[in-house]
Structures are given as C-alpha cells and as structure tokens.
C-alpha cells in the first residue's frame, strides 16, 4: 500500500532524484529515467493522463500521480488536468506581514486575464461581502510589486491583466466547495460553478485551511521563449488558503500559473522555486543567495523568471520570460484604467535637507466623498493626512506613494521618486593615472579600436564617495614616444566612462571636460566605483607602446573644477 505524501516531500529530476525528509537531510538516489518519459504535448507535459502511473494521496493536493518530470498530475472530475510541484508550506515570518502596503490598479482586460475568485466551504459561512475589499487590495498589492520590477528591469510599467466590472473595479466571483480543502476539490468546485476558460488563469482565495500549507498552484515545465509556451494558455488555477491571503502566496501561486520557476532557469532549485531568498518565488528555508534586502521583489536579479528588457546572452532573452511582451497575461507600458468615480491623487514634495513636506491638497474625489490619505515614505515608515512632514535618516532614493480611499470602495494611488542628497561640503579630490596603450593592428584600421580596447593597462578604476556632483578630466600624451609616431588620426586618443548616466566623452588632445553627476544617480546618493578606459580613435595604422597620463578631479558638494596646469607627462 502506498503511503500518503506529505508537504515535506520534494522531487528534483535533473539526472537524479532528491527527496527531502522532515529532518532536511537529503538522500540522493540516481535514477535512469530516459525510458520512463511519456509523450509530451506542446506545454512540455502530458496532454492526456499518464498511463501506468499509480495515484496516491498527496497532502493538500488530493489524489495525484507522480510524473517523471517531478510534477504531480491531478486529473479533475471533468477530465481536465492540472500539474503541480505540491503544496507550498506555511512559513510564519513570511506570511504574517503583508506583501506590501502600496497598491496599484491592475489592467482590466477581456482577452487574456486573471479571474479572481472567493471560495468557501459549503457547510460554512459565505463571507464574500466581508472580505471582497480585502481580496481586491491583495491583488492591487501584488500588482504594485510586479510594476516595481517592470520599471526596475526595463523602465516600463507592468500590470496584471484581470477581469473587471464595467466600472473598472476588480471582479471577484464566489463559489461553494462541498469537498475537502484539497487543491483538487477546490478546483473541481470552481469548474463545476462555471469558472473555466482557455484564456483565463484563476486566482482563488479559499476561506479554509490545510495543515501547514499556504497554497497550491498549477505549473507547466516548458521553458520555450515564445507566445506558444504552455504557460501562456489559460485554465490554470492557484489556490491560497485564508491564513496566507495578505502575504506573498497569492502572487506566488499566480507565478506558478505563469510558469515560474522553470527547472533550467538560473538560480532555480529544480522544483518550481528559486534560491534567492526575498524573491516571490523563493523560500528563505532554501535560500542560498540573498541578493536584494531592500524589499520583496518579484524577481530581484531579473534573471530567473521576470525581466522586462532582457539583453542578448541572458537566459531570459531566449527562454520563457514572464516579463516578455509575448506574455498574454501582463500589460506592458499601458497605464491601468480607473473608475471615473475613484479618487484622483496628486501631491507635491518640498525638500529641505532631509526633511520633506508633503502636500496632497490637490487631490480630490469626483463624488465629493471625504478622503482618507495614507502615505508610504519608501523607508519602511508611513503617515496620514492631506499634509504631512517626514524626516529621512539617510540620503538616498525613495519611492513615495500616496493612497486615497473614499470610504465607498473607491481607491487610487500615485507614486513619485524622491532624491535626498548627501550633506557633504564642497571639496575636490585630485587623482592621476598613467598607462601605455599596447596593441598592434596594421592591416584593418577599422579593427584598431577593438584590438586596443582589451588592454588592461588602459583601464583605471577608482572609488568615489557619496555626494559626488561632477568629474573633471584631462588626457595628455607625448607623440614623440612609442611606435605610434605619425600614425594617429584626427581624433587621436579618447577616453570612455563606463558608468551609467555619464555616457561617452572623446576629443582631440588634450581631452578636457567636466561631467556632471545628476542627483538621481546612485553614484551621487551613495558613491561607488568608476572606470575610465583610454584607447586610440580614428587611427590609420598600428598603435604600440603609446604612453599617456590622465588627470581626474572628483568634485563633491557642487565644487568647481580646478585648472590642471601641471597635467603633463
């Protein structure tokens, strides 16, 4: 007789089978699975129920069959198939606090969308009217996290596409469940109530519990980077139990529905999660890397399952990427619609050193309803009222959000980025660097730049402190030295800054220039590393052993650039 599978069991198939028991001591059993894989459909999983695959009871999932790819296959009452890695455990420290106290309206859609549902035990109380506003707020908090990652990774807005009422209010429907709280029974009840569709992912807030579990969600192992990926279809379900509604679980289960985390992705643990700690799809208990400590991110390093602007050579550029424009369930670079009777937020921020006065008196409600003002200052502190003052402890970049509620179900929010500059006196730090350009390309002049660009002797890295407001540079060399005599072209030598926001700089000898560091740059707010690279430009022959000198003045606190009368070789 097969024993029940508990939430502690995990299966990882990437040439081996790994089972984690409650003691957390792994037992590795190497298995040859080549001949056990069934025929796969377009989504990378079986289209029909797997043959000769015995079912057994899996905690919080229900009757399921273990597939060779490590997923549990659940055949529902109407024959529809869901696959899941199993139950996502309840972790108190992660679930007691809300995901975020900042909200953002999702995008209302009718083509492909997320349909939000409230499910409840048939023998219990239907609390729909009591909890519907809380459920909508949870979706808006999810959407804020998603949008933050869209802006951070690609500079574009990213919003969940959801089903809405005509007034753009998130639509939340409800259904009773006559069975147990297992995933299979809850989904069976939803489908029996008419909630299914090939263009719809269903996010279910279930008003019940399952021991030691936060939720269960469908996932397809299909890492193809195209619109035809199986995760880009509907009829997927994610269930969150009521002890985890305000935490990360609703977004986590929807993340599974949208294909996170593929086994082949960077920083994947091979069983549907990642190992980066604070990411929505990771768990601290399995964290090996903690890359972002500032806030909860959807995908902190934008390399495992979400990147709104992946670069060539990155895994997400060619594999399934929830942040790609081909994802049918997210709207990119489109401002979400709002109810015309929702409040209209607006505020100004007046900065005096680290003290900021916020004024939202320009906000209003079209219906004239009294407004409740809630502030998130971006430094883990909050405030209230139409006007308020806040003092920041440190210089930095802060995203300040004003949320408005009219007491009648109307809600809206707006966010501004605030920069608090470091308080540093005006000063100048002078640095000098010497080097030799070492390269030789005699046949193809157009390749000279590339050939010379790799010389380590032409790279000069240095550290600057917070409060930097500019950099002044001079570049000189002696044309009578080196084997390059008579071969340098009109542009001669140039330098390049490798630092975001400063761009390239080039010119004839000597290159003189002052480059401002904007207050919005992290370099100004907290300091960091700068890299200066020197190379010839526009040459018509070989450049070998060309000596040069770079004189750099680092400007702090608005200091002006000095004259380098002694910048000579």
């Amino acid at each position: 007789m097969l024993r029940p599978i508990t939430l502690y069991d995990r299966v990882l198939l990437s040439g081996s089978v790994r089972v984690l028991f409650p003691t957390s001591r792994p037992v590795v059993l190497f298995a040859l699975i080549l001949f056990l894989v069934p025929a796969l459909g377009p989504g990378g999983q079986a289209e029909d129920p797997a043959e000769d695959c015995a079912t057994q009871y899996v905690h919080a999932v229900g009757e399921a069959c273990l597939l060779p790819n490590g997923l549990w296959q659940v055949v529902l009452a109407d024959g529809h198939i869901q696959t899941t890695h199993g139950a996502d455990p309840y972790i108190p420290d992660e679930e007691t606090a809300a995901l975020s106290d900042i909200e953002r309206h999702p995008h209302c859609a009718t083509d492909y969308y997320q349909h939000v549902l409230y499910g409840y035990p048939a023998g219990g109380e239907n609390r729909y009217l009591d909890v519907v506003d809380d459920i909508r707020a949870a979706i808006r908090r999810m959407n804020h996290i998603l949008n933050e990652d869209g802006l951070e990774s690609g500079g574009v807005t990213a919003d969940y596409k959801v089903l809405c009422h005509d007034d753009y209010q998130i639509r939340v429907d409800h259904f009773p469940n006559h069975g147990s709280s297992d995933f299979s029974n809850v989904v069976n009840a939803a489908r029996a109530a008419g909630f299914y569709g090939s263009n719809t992912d269903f996010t279910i807030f279930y008003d019940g519990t399952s021991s030691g579990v936060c939720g269960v969600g469908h996932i397809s192992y299909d890492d193809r980077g195209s619109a035809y990926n199986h995760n880009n279809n509907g009829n997927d379900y994610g269930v969150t139990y009521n002890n985890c509604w305000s935490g990360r679980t609703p977004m986590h289960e929807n993340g599974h529905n949208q294909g996170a985390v593929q086994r082949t992705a960077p920083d994947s643990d091979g069983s549907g999660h990642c190992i980066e700690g604070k990411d929505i799809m990771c768990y601290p208990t399995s964290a090996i890397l903690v890359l972002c400590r500032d806030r909860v991110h959807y995908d902190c390093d934008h390399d495992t399952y979400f990147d709104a602007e992946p670069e060539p050579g990155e895994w997400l550029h060619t594999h399934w990427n929830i942040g790609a424009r081909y994802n049918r369930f997210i709207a990119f670079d489109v401002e979400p619609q709002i109810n015309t009777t929702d409040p209209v937020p607006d505020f100004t921020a007046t900065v005096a050193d680290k003290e900021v006065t916020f004024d939202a008196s320009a906000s209003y409600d079209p219906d004239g309803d009294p407004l409740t003002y809630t502030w998130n200052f971006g430094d883990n502190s909050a405030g209230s009222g139409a006007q308020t003052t806040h003092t920041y402890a440190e210089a930095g970049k802060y995203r300040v959000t004003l949320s408005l509620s009219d007491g009648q179900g109307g809600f809206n929010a707006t966010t501004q980025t605030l920069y608090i500059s470091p308080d540093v006196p005006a000063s100048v730090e002078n640095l000098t660097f010497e080097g030799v350009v070492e390269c030789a390309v005699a046949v193809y002049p157009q390749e000279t730049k590339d050939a010379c660009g790799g010389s380590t002797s032409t790279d000069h890295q240095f550290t600057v402190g917070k409060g930097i407001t500019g950099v002044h540079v001079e570049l000189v060399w002696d044309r009578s030295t080196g084997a390059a005599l008579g071969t340098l072209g009109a542009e001669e030598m140039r330098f390049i800054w490798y630092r975001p926001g400063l761009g390239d700089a080039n010119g004839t000898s000597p290159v003189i220039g002052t480059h401002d560091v904007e207050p919005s740059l992290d370099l100004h707010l907290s300091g960091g590393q700068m890299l200066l690279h020197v190379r010839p430009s526009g040459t018509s022959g070989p450049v070998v052993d060309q000596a040069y000198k770079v004189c750099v003045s680092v400007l702090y606190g608005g200091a002006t650039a000095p004259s380098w009368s002694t910048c000579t070789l």
Side-chain angles (χ1 to χ4, degrees):
M1 179 177 178
L2 295 173
R3 67 172 178 83
I5 302 297
T6 72
L7 69 95
Y8 298 99
D9 293 316
R10 294 288 186 271
V11 178
L12 170 60
L13 290 176
S14 56
S16 65
V17 177
R18 180 184 178 197
V19 183
L20 297 185
F21 294 95
T23 60
S24 295
R25 293 181 177 273
V27 178
V28 180
L29 305 174
F30 291 93
L32 182 64
I33 63 171
L34 180 62
F35 301 105
L36 300 179
V37 181
L40 299 183
Q45 65 186 57
E47 291 181 311
D48 300 314
E51 296 180 0
D52 301 324
C53 186
T55 62
Q56 52 192 298
Y57 177 75
V58 181
H59 179 62
V61 175
E63 289 295 318
C65 157
L66 182 60
L67 299 173
N69 64 3
L71 295 178
W72 294 100
Q73 182 186 87
V74 179
V75 181
L76 299 172
D78 60 2
H80 181 69
I81 293 175
Q82 294 281 276
T83 50
T84 175
H85 69 77
D88 287 312
Y90 175 74
I91 301 175
D93 290 344
E94 290 297 302
E95 297 300 338
T96 51
L99 179 68
S100 168
D101 54 3
I102 306 177
E103 301 177 11
R104 175 181 169 87
H105 272 291
H107 180 80
C108 295
T110 56
D111 53 354
Y112 287 85
Y113 52 81
Q114 184 180 165
H115 189 169
V116 184
L117 302 176
Y118 166 74
Y120 61 96
E125 179 185 2
N126 181 354
R127 299 193 304 132
Y128 174 80
L129 294 178
D130 296 328
V131 301
V132 63
D133 286 339
D134 293 336
I135 291 174
R136 288 178 176 135
I139 298 296
R140 293 193 295 260
R141 289 193 296 268
M142 288 167 49
N143 196 55
H144 166 74
I145 295 293
L146 179 73
N147 184 60
E148 288 287 289
D149 274 42
L151 294 171
E152 189 174 85
S153 65
V156 298
T157 60
D159 294 286
Y160 286 116
K161 295 168 65 176
V162 303
L163 185 64
C164 299
H165 293 289
D166 291 341
D167 62 357
Y168 300 118
Q169 188 77 274
I170 299 171
R171 178 170 172 172
V172 182
D173 289 307
H174 53 97
F175 66 92
N177 172 32
H178 293 273
S180 71
S181 60
D182 290 336
F183 174 77
S184 57
N185 285 327
V186 174
V187 175
N188 274 329
R191 292 180 66 83
F195 299 118
Y196 52 84
S198 59
N199 63 336
T200 310
D201 282 343
F202 295 91
T203 297
I204 301 175
F205 290 77
Y206 188 68
D207 208 354
T209 61
S210 182
S211 177
V213 172
C214 264
V216 183
H218 166 89
I219 181 175
S220 296
Y221 282 156
D222 181 2
D223 64 7
R224 294 173 300 160
S226 82
Y228 302 102
N229 189 293
H230 195 77
N231 293 288
N232 217 17
N233 299 323
N235 264 329
D236 299 337
Y237 297 80
V239 175
T240 300
Y241 298 104
N242 62 12
N243 53 328
C244 301
W245 285 4
S246 64
R248 66 169 62 205
T249 304
M251 192 173 189
H252 183 101
E253 303 307 338
N254 178 264
H256 283 321
N257 289 175
Q258 296 205 32
V261 175
Q262 294 297 308
R263 292 178 299 171
T264 55
D267 300 324
S268 169
D269 71 354
S271 60
H273 297 118
C274 48
I275 58 173
E276 293 175 330
K278 275 189 173 292
D279 287 11
I280 287 295
M281 302 307 298
C282 306
Y283 278 105
T285 52
S286 62
I288 297 175
L289 306 171
V290 182
L291 301 179
C292 297
R293 299 178 183 273
D294 56 336
R295 62 176 176 86
V296 175
H297 288 252
Y298 190 40
D299 183 359
C300 141
D301 213 26
H302 313 304
D303 62 347
T304 307
Y305 48 91
F306 182 94
D307 187 348
E309 201 64 48
E311 298 177 356
E314 296 178 342
W315 190 88
L316 289 173
H317 190 261
T318 55
H319 294 79
W320 175 246
N321 176 15
I322 295 176
R325 302 304 189 275
Y326 53 63
N327 185 350
R328 298 164 176 154
F329 292 87
I330 293 179
F332 294 95
D333 213 17
V334 178
E335 284 300 317
Q337 315 95 321
I338 64 170
N339 186 343
T340 55
T341 61
D342 279 345
V344 179
D346 188 18
F347 71 90
T348 60
T350 304
V351 181
D353 293 328
K354 292 183 175 65
E355 183 179 87
V356 183
T357 300
F358 298 97
D359 187 350
S361 57
S363 302
Y364 66 94
D365 184 79
D367 299 326
D369 296 322
L371 296 175
T372 299
Y373 300 78
T374 303
W375 298 88
N376 182 295
F377 298 122
D379 62 348
N380 295 320
S381 59
S384 60
Q387 292 88 27
T388 187
T389 299
H390 180 68
T391 301
Y392 290 90
E394 299 178 355
K397 178 169 57 177
Y398 301 95
R399 289 182 61 79
V400 179
T401 298
L402 167 66
S403 300
L404 300 180
S405 174
D406 63 5
Q408 305 298 320
F411 168 88
N412 207 352
T414 187
T415 299
Q416 296 183 23
T417 300
L418 190 69
Y419 303 99
I420 305 297
S421 294
D423 184 15
V424 298
S427 63
V428 179
E429 178 184 12
N430 293 324
L431 306 169
T432 59
F433 304 99
E434 295 186 6
V436 177
V437 172
E438 299 172 346
C439 59
V441 177
V443 180
Y444 300 106
Q446 66 270 26
E447 295 183 4
T448 302
K449 295 180 183 180
D450 296 333
C452 297
S455 174
T456 56
S457 65
T458 65
D459 289 340
H460 306 288
Q461 187 169 353
F462 54 97
T463 302
V464 299
K466 62 184 180 181
I468 177 176
T469 53
V471 184
H472 181 81
V473 181
E474 295 187 20
L475 171 64
V476 296
W477 65 93
D478 185 354
R479 291 192 57 172
S480 66
T481 64
L485 184 61
T487 63
L488 293 177
E491 290 187 345
E492 308 219 341
M493 300 277 282
R494 72 169 179 168
F495 67 86
I496 300 175
W497 285 114
Y498 283 90
R499 183 70 199 185
L502 290 182
D504 290 359
N506 59 76
T508 58
S509 173
V511 177
I512 300 174
T514 300
H515 310 274
D516 294 332
V517 177
E518 297 298 325
S520 60
L521 291 179
D522 290 339
L523 191 65
H524 168 72
L525 298 172
S526 56
Q529 296 291 314
M530 298 191 72
L531 177 65
L532 184 65
H533 180 70
V534 180
R535 71 186 185 189
S537 177
T539 59
S540 58
V543 178
V544 181
D545 299 332
Q546 174 64 63
Y548 65 88
K549 184 175 184 178
V550 183
C551 301
V552 179
S553 294
V554 183
L555 313 177
Y556 293 97
T560 58
S563 174
W564 274 95
S565 59
T566 59
C567 189
T568 59
L569 281 172

